[in-house]
Amino acid sequence: MGIRELAVRWADALDGAVAPTLTRTQIESLLADLADVLVAAVRGMRAVEVAHDAAAVLVAANYRDSMAVSRSVLVICREMVREICPAGTESEYEAVRERAIVVAAEFAAGFTSALRNAALGEQETTLAAALSAAQEAEVRRQLSEARFEAVFAGASVGIGTVDVTGRVLEVNAAMADMLGLPAAMMPGRSVAELLGPANIGDAYANLEHLLSGRTDRFRVETDHLRRDGTITSIDLSMSAVRDTGGRVRFLIGVAVDVTERKQLADRLWHDANHDSLTGLPNRVLFFSRLANAVPPVGVCYLDLDGFKQVNDMWGHTVGDRVLRDVAQRLHGSVEPAGGLVARIGGDEFIVLVEKCTGAEQLATISGLLLDALTTPIQVAGRPVIVGASIGTVFAEERPTDIDEMMHAVDTAMYRNKAAGGRRLRHESR
């Protein structure tokens, strides 16, 4: 396919994401440069961290909505994998796909970071303009009042003023809309009340420091419950406006609605840490949880028996349906017992048990996993039967050498598979 065609497909995927300063030719040229870097990262020729910078370049080109990052992640995980492995073996394809997922996660993280920096840049610019106008209003009121009012009324971010007792004086339309209240209902309310109970202690302390002159500014991110029951996430900065004698006359606050950014960050985190086919936690999340698990720790490593034959006989579409059904069954069988099920490879699943009581508990959980697969899986009217081989390992302490623990449980599982499958073997550590 080549980098140039990959860039064209990426541009097609981003069609509709606003970038008014770029022509289609410029967009394709930009994406070709980024695709070259990202393909090299997926191939393992460059560090995956370059995806962070690539995402920042995309945000700088004014691609700032959720569609831009979600479609770019799909390009990385699909088109770039196909570019690298047009006709590779299943194991080669899976290895490239796993690295693509890591690159896509770094890209998503970079996009979120760059998006946040862009929003905060606008917040800082607005705050500086409002503060400058407000300070001038105290020194040369007649000259600058009109300028302050223009900034106040026309800003796309929320602006409000607060008196020396911590009560709201006035808010602009953007702030009122953000809080879900008519602007006329805002004056007289406590600013701490608007910050919400989670931040009210800090709010009073920060207000006291501002009003006493000990600080000039504070900033807080808070979730505000609106009257309609929805929650708005707000990034609020408050600064003191002083007279020529240095006394605090009032406070001015600038707020940015970061609800969409937080939701996007949550969604990107979920996508980066969960398997796209089954919805289970992926190897990234599993190893993170394992490294911080509450000891004693138990692990069950499960590999399906005969799954390759399913793909060979009926194709990958049927195979994917089988994997999704298996994932649901495994999760449903051990989740009530406190086990975390993750998919870490093509037909490989793993279960983490925190506060594990020992080999007997792992044997019980392994039995539940095997029992979950006894009933044939119905796919397009045909019964599909898959079994599994399981290896387990138990550690009294939180594992300090993850690779050693995984080697032990992997060895136990493959001994069972070599012995004929649908077996359980335990390795002690």
Side-chain angles (χ1 to χ4, degrees):
M1 176 166 55
I3 295 298
R4 177 55 61 179
E5 185 177 349
L6 184 59
V8 171
R9 293 193 179 186
W10 195 355
D12 290 339
L14 293 179
D15 187 32
V18 179
T21 60
L22 300 180
T23 65
R24 172 66 184 218
T25 300
Q26 290 172 325
I27 291 172
E28 291 180 5
S29 178
L30 172 69
L31 295 179
D33 291 339
L34 298 183
D36 188 56
V37 171
L38 294 174
V39 167
V42 174
R43 288 182 185 274
M45 299 168 61
R46 303 189 68 171
V48 296
E49 288 77 6
V50 299
H52 196 283
D53 297 330
V57 172
L58 203 63
V59 171
N62 208 36
Y63 286 92
R64 299 186 178 184
D65 60 10
S66 59
M67 181 182 73
V69 65
S70 62
R71 293 189 179 181
S72 295
V73 166
L74 287 177
V75 169
I76 295 170
C77 292
R78 292 181 181 175
E79 302 297 335
M80 293 187 183
V81 172
R82 291 170 183 165
E83 167 67 16
I84 295 170
C85 281
T89 65
E90 186 170 344
S91 61
E92 290 173 339
Y93 181 89
E94 189 67 21
V96 172
R97 181 176 174 275
E98 287 293 334
R99 187 168 178 86
I101 290 173
V102 177
V103 172
E106 188 68 22
F107 182 93
F111 189 94
T112 302
S113 177
L115 200 63
R116 180 176 184 274
N117 290 338
L120 293 181
E122 180 183 354
Q123 180 184 7
E124 293 290 339
T125 300
T126 302
L127 180 59
L131 277 173
S132 176
Q135 295 283 11
E136 284 188 31
E138 292 298 311
V139 180
R140 290 187 284 178
R141 184 178 300 276
Q142 291 183 351
L143 180 63
S144 60
E145 272 188 348
R147 179 184 169 198
F148 177 72
E149 287 299 325
V151 173
F152 187 87
S156 60
V157 296
I159 304 178
T161 54
V162 179
D163 66 19
V164 293
T165 69
R167 297 285 172 178
V168 175
L169 292 171
E170 188 179 8
V171 299
N172 68 351
M175 178 73 87
D177 182 64
M178 203 177 297
L179 299 175
L181 289 170
M185 293 182 60
M186 299 298 297
R189 288 177 175 265
S190 166
V191 68
E193 174 189 346
L194 300 180
L195 292 174
N199 295 294
I200 200 163
D202 290 339
Y204 278 121
N206 287 322
L207 283 172
E208 181 184 350
H209 292 165
L210 270 182
L211 295 172
S212 66
R214 281 181 281 174
T215 60
D216 290 321
R217 178 180 177 182
F218 78 86
R219 178 178 167 190
V220 65
E221 189 169 301
T222 181
D223 290 333
H224 177 76
L225 179 62
R226 295 157 53 103
R227 290 198 301 178
D228 61 4
T230 60
I231 294 177
T232 302
S233 297
I234 299 171
D235 191 309
L236 173 67
S237 293
M238 295 206 70
S239 298
V241 177
R242 304 176 186 276
D243 61 18
T244 54
R247 291 172 300 179
V248 177
R249 296 298 304 274
F250 61 93
L251 308 180
I252 184 168
V254 175
V256 175
D257 187 339
V258 295
T259 307
E260 185 174 344
R261 172 177 64 78
K262 286 189 66 176
Q263 291 173 345
L264 175 60
D266 291 343
R267 185 164 65 252
L268 292 177
W269 181 91
H270 181 276
D271 292 345
N273 288 276
H274 290 77
D275 177 54
S276 59
L277 176 65
T278 65
L280 292 177
N282 61 17
R283 63 188 306 121
V284 175
L285 180 55
F286 176 81
F287 287 125
S288 174
R289 287 286 299 273
L290 178 58
N292 297 283
V294 178
V297 177
V299 172
C300 302
Y301 186 27
L302 179 149
D303 184 84
L304 297 183
D305 296 331
F307 181 72
K308 183 177 184 303
Q309 286 73 17
V310 173
N311 281 333
D312 292 343
M313 292 176 62
W314 294 306
H316 287 279
T317 299
V318 171
D320 287 348
R321 291 180 182 175
V322 169
L323 286 175
R324 283 193 292 266
D325 193 286
V326 166
Q328 292 176 0
R329 293 188 183 191
L330 297 181
H331 175 75
S333 66
V334 303
E335 191 271 341
L340 171 75
V341 184
R343 182 188 179 212
I344 62 169
D347 61 347
E348 298 172 340
F349 298 84
I350 196 161
V351 178
L352 171 64
V353 183
E354 299 186 71
K355 299 181 181 179
C356 183
T357 58
E360 290 186 3
Q361 183 183 12
L362 293 179
T364 299
I365 290 177
S366 298
L368 294 174
L369 296 170
L370 293 174
D371 289 345
L373 302 178
T374 55
T375 304
I377 298 170
Q378 297 295 325
V379 180
R382 64 169 65 94
V384 178
I385 301 176
V386 291
S389 298
I390 300 178
T392 68
V393 66
F394 172 75
E396 289 284 354
E397 303 295 333
R398 179 185 296 135
T400 56
D401 190 331
I402 300 290
D403 289 340
E404 179 185 343
M405 187 173 192
M406 292 304 299
H407 177 72
V409 73
D410 181 73
T411 299
M413 184 275 294
Y414 276 106
R415 286 176 180 170
N416 292 336
K417 187 171 286 289
R422 191 166 175 77
R423 295 171 182 268
L424 167 64
R425 183 183 296 272
H426 177 74
E427 293 287 331
S428 59
R429 296 183 69 245

